[in-house]
Amino acid sequence: MPEPQLVLLRHGETEWSRTGQHTGTSDIPLTPHGEEQARAAGAFLAGRSFALALRSPLLRARRTADLAGHPDAVADPNLAEWDYGPVEGRTADDVSREIGRDWLIFRDGVHVVPRADGAPGEPGTRHGETLDDVADRARSVVRRVDPVLRDGGDVLLVAHGHLLRVLAAVWLELGPATAARFELGTASISLLGHGHGLRTVEGWNLPTA
């Protein structure tokens, strides 16, 4: 029997993912193309059964799970996207121009510009998460799915680009900033597993259409 896998599915395209705007807590729907992508992901996964399917509670992930053939996926708040706080809805180029240097979210975090109301954004407030906050949520997801995988069942996670990249770093027992090196396209599928007693990547950013 094949070893169980943790299957990651990023949600399909939204208007903001298409334009490169950071989409955390904003509940943006899929574009028509994003819905097509989600259906293609379902075709890619056709024939696979999952002992557990979890999804982000946000609309774009819920719709992706539905169209991919997993409407019963259970919402897990720990799979929600990074709360970007003061950089919500902004592009990396926009933030870089404002701060006068190249901005990398995995290095610099989100608290580099004032909040929309003009107050400073401070780590630990509700106005945006730190990378460590996101990594802590990812670790909670890994702890939840690990017993299912050890029992031999596959697990599906339908969520978001940055959250899933951080989860992959956590899975590999790397620092969460390593996620900067893991590109992840909309509606792509990635496969995490085990080999020689180690957690491994068995497929990454696989296109489904």
Side-chain angles (χ1 to χ4, degrees), residues 84-88 90 94-95 98-99 110-122 127-128:
Y84 298 122
V87 299
E88 179 79 7
R90 303 183 66 175
D94 178 35
V95 175
E98 178 165 347
I99 67 176
V110 304
H111 298 101
V112 292
V113 296
R115 299 198 319 247
D117 60 10
E122 294 295 335
H127 300 287

Side-chain angles (χ1 to χ4, degrees), residues 10-31 56 58-61 79-92 95 103 105 110 129 134 137 159-164 186:
R10 184 186 173 191
H11 65 77
E13 179 194 79
T14 69
E15 287 294 343
W16 280 16
S17 72
R18 186 177 58 81
T19 57
Q21 294 169 261
H22 285 79
T23 318
T25 58
S26 299
D27 223 1
I28 307 295
L30 301 182
T31 62
S56 160
L58 293 166
L59 172 63
R60 55 196 183 275
L79 285 173
E81 182 58 297
W82 192 334
D83 180 349
Y84 298 122
V87 299
E88 179 79 7
R90 303 183 66 175
T91 68
V95 175
W103 174 65
I105 191 170
V110 304
E129 291 179 292
V134 182
R137 291 198 287 110
H160 310 271
H162 280 167
L163 182 282
L164 290 175
T186 51

